[in-house]
Amino acid sequence: MEDKQLMKDAKMCTRWALGLTFILIFAFPGIMFLTGYNYTLQFFKGWTYLAFAWLIIAGLYISIRPWVEVYMEKRK
């Protein structure tokens, strides 16, 4: 992979990571906090399950993706 393409992809990934972090950690809960929403236990459970699902999916993707790339390289 060329360095130019690698730098372009790194910038895109960084922007996505920072954007999702801002939305999921600050913007979404912050808006609910400012509007006076009362967090219920059920909402907290749902939010926690969503966070764990996100972590598991991201972990699996990060773990499996290199193996898929190696497999695809060997097939060529």
Side-chain angles (χ1 to χ4, degrees), residues 30-65:
I31 290 171
M32 295 179 73
F33 178 75
L34 292 175
T35 58
Y37 180 80
N38 288 330
Y39 290 93
T40 62
L41 181 59
Q42 188 167 359
F43 178 82
F44 182 74
K45 283 181 181 178
W47 186 258
T48 305
Y49 289 143
L50 180 67
F52 276 113
W54 179 262
L55 286 173
I56 290 169
I57 291 169
L60 287 173
Y61 184 79
I62 291 169
S63 301
I64 294 172
R65 179 63 190 244

Side-chain angles (χ1 to χ4, degrees), residues 20-37:
L20 282 174
T21 300
F22 177 76
I23 290 170
L24 294 176
I25 294 178
F26 297 111
F28 180 67
I31 290 171
M32 295 179 73
F33 178 75
L34 292 175
T35 58
Y37 180 80

